[in-house]
């Protein structure tokens, strides 16, 4: 990039450096010193210090009392929350779900995690003359749905323990109601990145789901495809797995996951 800044530090390069500082501090998630910033961004400490003072004055960074380090300030936190609030999961997932349905033909769904299960927020009906899917607004349990298992495998240990200590509702003879069995399956789901629930919410039905993560790296939902068991096997096809996980990653990316 050509140098177009003046002595005051104004210009494109100054803006770029200020943004790089903000991103680096946010990514580190702990207070960062001037020397570390200069080394990470490949510039001088004096130049970093000038930008830090401006960012502190504007509230994007703060310097804790009796410290020579800097961390995210209230204005940056508020900005992040405002952006997050405007990223509606159903809206963000609409195009990836449509493409997933068009590619595979099955109903495609996205669910949002809640303390009590997975809330369906958007669904695109499949191309089969017999419609197989779930109603928007439905609450799916963690133990009987692929969406629930896909999310539960990546939650905090405290969240997972609370679910496992609670009552695991049974829907069919195939529903997992043993905490030990469910925990073992969650470990498999975490390793492979996808989950299924053949005949577990209803006889003859199956769903393949993959987790969705928000900008902070926390699991916030799941993307899945729904159909009869003869079309989505207990071990889905490689194409089904790859496309479903790709759709979930696309939604996660739209929510800001991996941006920092």
């Amino acid at each position: 990039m050509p140098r177009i800044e003046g002595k005051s530090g104004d210009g494109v390069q100054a803006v770029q450096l200020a943004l790089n500082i903000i991103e680096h501090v946010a990514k580190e998630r702990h207070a960062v010193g001037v020397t570390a910033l200069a080394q990470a961004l490949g510039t001088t400490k004096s130049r970093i210090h000038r930008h830090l003072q401006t960012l502190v004055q504007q509230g994007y960074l703060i310097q804790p009392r009796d410290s020579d380090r800097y961390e995210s300030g209230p204005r940056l936190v508020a900005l992040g929350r405002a952006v997050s609030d405007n990223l509606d999961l159903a809206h963000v997932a609409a195009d990836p779900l449509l493409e997933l349905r068009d590619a595979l033909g099955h109903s495609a769904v996205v669910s949002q995690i809640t303390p009590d299960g997975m809330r369906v927020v958007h669904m695109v009906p499949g191309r089969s003359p017999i419609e197989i899917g779930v109603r928007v607004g439905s609450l799916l349990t963690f133990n009987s749905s692929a969406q629930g298992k896909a999310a539960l495998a990546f939650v905090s240990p405290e969240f997972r323990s609370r679910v496992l200590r609670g009552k695991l509702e049974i829907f069919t003879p195939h529903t997992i109601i043993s905490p030990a069995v469910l925990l073992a399956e969650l470990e498999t789901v975490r390793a492979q990145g996808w989950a299924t629930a053949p005949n577990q919410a209803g006889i003859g039905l199956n769903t393949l789901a993959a987790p969705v993560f928000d900008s902070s790296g926390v699991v916030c939902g799941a993307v899945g495809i729904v159909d009869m068991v003869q079309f989505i096997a207990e071990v889905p096809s490689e194409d089904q797995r790859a496309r479903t996980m790709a759709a979930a990653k696309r939604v996660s990316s739209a929510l800001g996951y991996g941006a920092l």
Side-chain angles (χ1 to χ4, degrees), residues 88-90 93 109-112 119-123 135-138:
D88 178 74
L89 181 59
V109 61
V110 63
S111 304
Q112 189 166 20
R119 182 74 63 184
V120 178
V121 296
H122 188 62
M123 190 196 78
R135 293 195 307 273
V136 172
S138 299

Side-chain angles (χ1 to χ4, degrees), residues 23-232:
E23 290 182 358
H24 187 82
V25 172
K27 180 176 65 175
E28 290 298 310
R29 299 184 183 179
H30 59 73
V32 183
V34 176
T35 300
L37 280 167
Q39 292 175 345
L41 301 180
T43 188
T44 64
K45 291 194 291 184
S46 61
R47 190 167 180 228
I48 290 289
H49 188 265
R50 290 198 304 270
H51 283 74
L52 286 172
Q53 295 308 303
T54 300
L55 291 170
V56 168
Q57 291 171 6
Q58 296 300 316
Y60 288 101
L61 298 180
I62 61 173
Q63 184 179 19
R65 183 175 298 179
D66 300 326
S67 173
D68 59 354
R69 296 173 180 269
Y70 298 81
E71 58 189 46
S72 298
R75 195 168 182 181
L76 180 59
V77 173
L79 180 62
R81 287 175 178 170
V83 173
S84 179
D85 290 343
N86 288 329
L87 291 176
D88 178 74
L89 181 59
H91 175 74
V92 167
D95 285 345
L97 288 185
L98 185 60
E99 292 181 12
L100 183 61
R101 190 283 308 271
D102 289 346
L104 298 175
H106 314 295
S107 295
V109 61
V110 63
S111 304
Q112 189 166 20
I113 192 169
T114 78
D116 301 313
M118 303 296 290
R119 182 74 63 184
V120 178
V121 296
H122 188 62
M123 190 196 78
V124 179
R127 295 195 178 281
S128 171
I130 301 176
E131 184 174 328
I132 304 295
V134 289
R135 293 195 307 273
V136 172
S138 299
L139 186 66
L140 309 175
T141 66
F142 289 113
N143 63 306
S144 70
S145 69
Q147 295 99 310
K149 288 185 279 187
L152 193 61
F154 293 89
V155 297
S156 67
E158 294 77 16
F159 191 115
R160 188 181 304 111
S161 295
R162 181 188 62 80
V163 172
L164 294 175
R165 288 196 306 268
K167 180 181 179 181
L168 300 179
E169 190 173 356
I170 185 170
F171 295 92
T172 78
H174 303 279
T175 304
I176 300 175
I177 56 174
S178 165
V181 173
L182 180 57
L183 183 59
E185 182 163 343
L186 294 177
E187 292 177 356
T188 300
V189 171
R190 187 175 180 87
Q192 64 193 14
W194 53 270
T196 58
N199 299 304
Q200 293 176 22
I203 298 296
L205 300 177
N206 193 17
T207 300
L208 164 65
V212 171
F213 300 91
D214 64 18
S215 59
S216 62
V218 175
V219 64
C220 63
V223 164
I225 54 173
V226 185
D227 214 323
M228 293 182 285
V229 291
Q230 64 259 44
F231 300 124
I232 302 177

